[in-house]
């Protein structure tokens, strides 16, 4: 008879362990959105913060930031200990932990590939290879790593490819796990750069050579995630790297954490990282669909609540009661950033260093009503900028005040009149001093916030008789045009990757033209100040130089410094341990998700 056999099978099935009976554990998927499209994922080629966020989750830098510690503090990531730095700040020695491996990839032809010191040497050298047009090369060249710039120039002059095998004095692998960097100038903060995995994360040479011109599409690193899917300008999916080393959650809650967050952080202690199995990032440029996606539970986190909805989401900068009842949490934090409009200093209309050109830019800046911009467009989620250096990094001087925050259309009109920018033909718009039409083209994006900012610009300029038109485009294309010096004016943000003001002063450095220095500003007096402060340890002397550098940028006005932004993120109740360290891009590693509580399956 078959009946007893069937009964026996049923009894055995019922007796199986609970985990087997219930099937596989559901994946933990963290979903959110970028408001701007990515450009690619190769550390040698990317400069935008959105692409860098993805790269940071895939590649490993030698150092990382302690996620919850304040003040911000570095710790080893792939190193055995913190770097050894010589007393003169010119020699840095780092030792890589043995037993760290790259994610499996066809480039390795089935072999398990260990991370070594040579990978970091190679990854640094890639920024000197003209083929990749690194937007961050200026950071390395400012530090004068011995022999690398010279090698680059020699090979470019000879029209030869970059020679990765040529050893230079300033960058060597001393053994399999130890590498050393020697600088031509003292730089007390150069090790900060080695916390940015999207800049100096380890890239394997085999991978670059295997994928060639497609390397932007094939990031392969040693960090917690790997690229699972990429639909350009639409969706990015990361999945847990199955070969990621054994790293356990050992974070502390930030000092301003709620009791709820403190309890969640305590509950996560000892868990293997990363906590989320997959990260799904959609590109949603418009604010309304991005906000509605979060409200419907389609997104687990919303990074930077769109300012259009600040009044309903956080009236008076407090979480709205209806959202609090749903268990939604709010995280509010100042950014190490600056929102600017820049003038192309090589443009025949708005550029130049003669008095009448400086007067035009200063007049334009004086006509910008920042109070209205903050109240009407930014919904109170920002503070005025006196200069480029944000409030939360070294170099910010609370006593420094400048005309960047001054709103005076009367003074602007007087400046224009004084330097010959007058309405000669009586049509209501000013002409150039030589009588030719004065018209300024401002490049911007299509989202609602940028449209409102453009409206403010138009009103402000009309009030002083300057005609302004707007060129709408996509961020990747505008970034490329900006770096090439092809935009007359552009509104953009600059985000710091370290708790130091140097990267913001670099916006005026002649060595950073076309990179951090989008307006292509060049002034010997400023460069001397910039170079001097860079070599000094933190203290009053360096602070004074940084303030003087800001004064020069205000006086010559290659920028209109608008605001330092305050960001507010929100997370759904099924997201655990959500907080932000503004210098940690791949926050997903430290965030847990309860898939059973999410409103839809994956």
């Amino acid at each position: 008879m078959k009946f007893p056999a069937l009964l026996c099978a049923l009894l055995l099935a019922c007796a199986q362990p609970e985990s087997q009976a219930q099937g596989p554990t559901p994946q933990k998927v963290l979903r959110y959105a970028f408001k701007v499209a990515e450009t690619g994922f190769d550390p040698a080629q990317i400069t935008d913060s959105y692409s860098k966020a993805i790269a940071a989750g895939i590649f490993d830098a030698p150092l990382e930031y302690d996620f919850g510690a304040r003040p911000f503090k570095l710790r080893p990531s792939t190193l055995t200990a913190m770097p050894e730095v010589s007393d003169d700040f010119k020699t840095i020695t780092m030792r890589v932990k043995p037993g760290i491996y790259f994610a499996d990839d066809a480039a390795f032809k089935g072999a398990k590939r260990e991370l070594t010191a040579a990978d970091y040497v190679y990854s640094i050298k890639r920024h000197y290879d003209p083929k990749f047009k690194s937007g961050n090369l200026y950071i390395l060249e400012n530090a004068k790593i011995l022999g690398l710039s010279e090698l680059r120039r020699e090979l470019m002059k000879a029209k030869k490819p970059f020679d990765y095998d040529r050893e230079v004095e300033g960058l060597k692998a001393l053994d399999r796990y130890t590498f050393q960097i020697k600088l031509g100038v003292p730089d007390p903060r150069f090790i900060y750069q080695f916390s940015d995995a999207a800049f100096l994360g380890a890239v394997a040479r085999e991978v670059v050579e295997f994928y060639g011109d497609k390397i932007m599409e094939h990031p392969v690193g040693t960090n917690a995630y790997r690229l699972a899917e990429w639909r350009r300008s639409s969706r990015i999916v990361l999945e847990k790297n199955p070969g990621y080393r054994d790293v356990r959650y050992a974070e502390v809650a930030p000092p301003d954490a709620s009791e709820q967050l403190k309890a969640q952080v305590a509950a996560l202690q000892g868990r293997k990282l990363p906590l989320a199995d997959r990260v799904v990032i959609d590109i949603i440029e418009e604010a309304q669909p991005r906000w509605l996606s979060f409200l419907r539970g389609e997104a687990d986190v919303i990074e930077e609540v769109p300012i259009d909805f600040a009044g309903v989401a956080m009236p008076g900068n407090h979480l709205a009661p209806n959202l609090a009842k749903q268990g939604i949490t709010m995280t509010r934090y100042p950014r190490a950033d600056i929102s600017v409009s820049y003038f192309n200093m090589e443009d025949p209309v708005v550029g130049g260093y003669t008095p009448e050109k400086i007067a035009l830019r200063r007049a334009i800046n004086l006509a910008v009503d920042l109070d209205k911009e903050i109240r009407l467009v930014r919904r109170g989620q920002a503070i005025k900028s006196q200069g480029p250096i944000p409030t939360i990094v070294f170099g910010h001087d609370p006593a420094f005040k400048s005309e960047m925050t001054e709103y005076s259309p009367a003074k602007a009109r007087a400046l224009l009149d004084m330097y010959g920018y007058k309405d000669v033909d009586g049509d209501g718009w000013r002409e150039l001093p030589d009588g030719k039409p004065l018209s300024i083209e401002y490049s911007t994006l299509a989202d609602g916030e940028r449209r409102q900012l453009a409206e403010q610009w138009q009103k402000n300029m009309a009030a002083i008789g300057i005609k302004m038109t707007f060129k709408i485009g996509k961020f990747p294309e505008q970034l490329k045009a900006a770096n090439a010096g092809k935009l007359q004016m552009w509104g953009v943000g600059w985000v710091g990757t370290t708790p130091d003001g140097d990267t913001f002063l670099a916006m005026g450095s002649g060595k950073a033209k076309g990179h951090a220095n989008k307006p292509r500003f060049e002034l010997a007096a400023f460069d001397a100040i910039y170079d001097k402060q860079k070599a000094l340890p933190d203290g009053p002397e360096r602070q004074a130089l940084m303030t003087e550098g800001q004064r020069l940028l205000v006086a010559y006005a290659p920028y209109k410094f608008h605001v330092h932004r305050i960001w507010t993120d929100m997370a759904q109740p099924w997201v655990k341990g959500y907080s932000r360290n503004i210098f940690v891009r791949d926050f997903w590693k430290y965030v847990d998700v309860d898939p059973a509580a999410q409103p839809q399956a994956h």
Side-chain angles (χ1 to χ4, degrees), residues 386-389 394-402 501 505 526 529-530 533 539-555:
Q386 303 291 345
I389 299 178
F394 183 87
H396 172 73
D397 179 0
F400 173 60
K401 306 297 178 188
S402 79
L505 274 190
F526 178 88
I529 288 171
Y530 178 77
Q533 66 80 30
E541 184 181 0
R542 181 174 184 242
Q543 175 68 72
L545 286 169
M546 296 176 88
T547 300
E548 184 59 28
Q550 291 191 92
R551 285 198 181 96
L552 285 175
L553 289 176
V554 170

Side-chain angles (χ1 to χ4, degrees), residues 415-594:
L415 257 179
L416 293 168
D417 289 342
M418 183 184 301
Y419 285 91
Y421 297 92
K422 298 179 179 180
D423 178 12
V424 178
D425 58 12
D427 66 351
W429 301 109
R430 294 177 185 268
E431 277 74 45
L432 293 166
D434 62 6
K436 294 178 181 176
L438 169 58
S439 181
I440 296 174
E441 182 179 79
Y442 190 105
S443 296
T444 187
L445 305 177
D447 63 77
E449 180 183 339
R450 301 315 201 290
R451 284 196 295 267
Q452 293 176 60
L453 287 169
E455 289 171 10
Q456 287 297 310
W457 266 108
Q458 202 154 42
K459 290 176 182 175
N460 292 161
M461 293 303 98
I464 60 171
I466 290 180
K467 182 184 290 185
M468 180 173 276
T469 60
F470 298 90
K471 185 177 182 180
I472 311 297
K474 295 279 188 181
F475 180 81
E477 289 76 20
Q478 289 188 344
L479 178 62
K480 186 177 180 180
N483 289 341
K486 294 180 179 178
L487 302 182
Q488 189 176 46
M489 284 189 74
W490 192 32
V492 70
W494 190 249
V495 180
T497 58
T498 72
D500 188 79
D502 179 87
T503 189
F504 296 95
L505 274 190
M507 294 168 68
S509 168
K511 296 171 187 172
K513 283 172 64 175
H515 303 300
N517 181 356
K518 296 286 188 285
R520 311 176 83 79
F521 177 69
E522 197 159 14
L523 187 72
F526 178 88
D527 286 342
I529 288 171
Y530 178 77
D531 290 344
K532 188 174 180 182
Q533 66 80 30
K534 196 169 185 64
L536 292 172
D538 292 349
E541 184 181 0
R542 181 174 184 242
Q543 175 68 72
L545 286 169
M546 296 176 88
T547 300
E548 184 59 28
Q550 291 191 92
R551 285 198 181 96
L552 285 175
L553 289 176
V554 170
Y556 281 86
Y559 295 94
K560 169 60 181 178
F561 299 118
H562 290 254
V563 299
H564 305 297
R565 292 173 292 177
I566 299 168
W567 280 24
T568 301
D569 298 353
M570 291 187 182
Q572 301 285 5
W574 51 84
V575 176
K576 310 299 180 186
Y578 185 83
S579 66
R580 291 305 293 267
N581 179 321
I582 59 174
F583 301 114
V584 178
R585 293 190 176 96
D586 56 330
F587 66 90
W588 341 294
K589 188 190 299 186
Y590 307 104
V591 174
D592 198 17
V593 178
D594 180 2

